[in-house]
Amino acid sequence: MISICKTVLICGLVLYMGTIIFFNDFECPSSYLFSSFKFTTFPPNSQTTLSNDAKTNNATNISHLVFGILGSEKAWHNRKPYIESWWRSNITRGYLFLDVPPKDDLLPWSINSPPYKISDNVPKLVEETKHVDSRVLRMVHGIMEVFREEHEGVRWVIMGDDDSIFFVDNMVDILAQYDHTKYFYIGGHSEFILSNYLFSFNQAFGGAGIILSYPMARAFAKNIMSCLKRYSHLKSADRTTKICIADIGVNLSPLQGIHQIDLHGDLTGFLSSHPKSLLMSLHHLDMVEPIFPSMDRSQSVFHLQNAAKYDQSRMLQQTICHKRSSNWTFSVSWGYSAHIYEKIMPRSWIQNPIETFLPWGETPNPPRFMFDTRNFSLDPCEAPHLFFFNSIEKTPRNEIHTMYTRAWPRAIGACLSNGNYSAEYVSEIHVYSSATKRIEIDRCECCDIIHEDGSKEARIKYRECKLDEIIA
């Protein structure tokens, strides 16, 4: 009898120990042993250690972005409106890094500006790294300074200059499509082909925004001093950043909606033919004419951002449609401009920006730009009637109504092709678009035109294109 009891006891102990070992191998908490035997399975080659964000599947939002804006006390007096046009106090995270403390009319500090910090001791850093260019060192070292200030909940570190404007909602929507736990270095190329040739075609031009995922920013910050010492001879901050990141083993992920604006002069042709990508930033606004006629630069950026408050997903998105009874072609750059051509024009041609702008530097021969262009023309069959964004409102039908008014009389006569009509008398274009955002864009929207002969107003109603619809 005693031997039987011993046998049962031993078997029970073996079974108990086996159960503990079995569940410990699955790293299962002891509380699960007597509750549920459900186990999470992972795809092959996936990481089995998930962050809290991954476990809860939280979508990226504005609180996950931290901005580092590099500026100078002297320039901030004039550039403050650029940043304040898009910065949201107590919502946007980040800092303006100044070279010296603010003074005079900058104090008291505006609540509509980012909180400021003073950059680290640059002369001391120059002495330590033997760097040949203190300005370059300050800009590159600034990435580490931003990373040092913010950690909790940060997924993306975004660097930019104080003469740029950002479209933060679009940034959030785009970055939400990336895995922020991986290494990412995101940015845009220069529009000027020679800049890319001289510096790198695999480089983010940083004034318009360099975007680093948190792990990428962490690795960069950890190695910043050794990198500045290795490349102390370089006189370009963007190139230095690119090379430091390449040493970590990461290449550029380029985005079309990040615009360095390495251009001069009249930017209207460029902004009126935006690529089919969400607009993320515009840089070098000091170097071009005000983007709206009869407005200065400050007024222009606030006016553009006023449209962005209603729908960033359509900002500058080009929609082209035709009114064949009049032989007219309409091209709308949402939130910015509208054009009427007195001829049925192919989309492939209208998509090319009109060269109203000049290249960044002297180039004796083409190519000058990183995109196709078309020449400015005074041919009445090719030159558009120009209209610019005037006002915006949301309608009771859950549509967004934008209105564009004529900039000036075209005054070059009418297109004389058979069946064409002059559009000189049209003074307003009213555009109606859905209030629903368009984030994942596989094709442009289509539109229907309503215009009675002789009317000063034309109405355009956006809609999704029909299956296989040809809109040439």
Side-chain angles (χ1 to χ4, degrees), residues 116 158 194 245 249 366 383 394:
Y116 73 86
I158 303 168
L194 189 57
I245 291 173
K394 192 170 184 179

Side-chain angles (χ1 to χ4, degrees), residues 62-74:
I62 192 172
S63 71
H64 297 127
L65 279 56
V66 59
F67 288 84
I69 307 300
L70 287 170
S72 69
E73 195 274 346
K74 182 178 179 180

Side-chain angles (χ1 to χ4, degrees), residues 9-10 29 38-39 67 97 107 161 165 199-200 245 279 290 293 317 327 340 382 404 408 411 428 441 450:
L9 181 59
I10 292 171
K38 296 178 181 179
F39 294 92
F67 288 84
F97 285 83
L107 297 175
D161 285 356
I165 60 174
F199 295 102
S200 175
I245 291 173
L279 174 64
Q317 295 298 306
N327 277 351
I340 301 177
E382 293 186 0
Y404 305 79
W408 45 72
E428 296 181 0
I441 305 172
I450 302 171

Side-chain angles (χ1 to χ4, degrees), residues 166-185:
F166 293 96
F167 297 84
V168 181
D169 292 344
N170 281 346
M171 283 187 161
V172 170
D173 290 333
I174 289 175
L175 294 177
Q177 302 172 31
Y178 290 79
D179 185 347
H180 61 275
T181 67
K182 307 295 185 184
Y183 283 66
F184 279 105
Y185 161 49

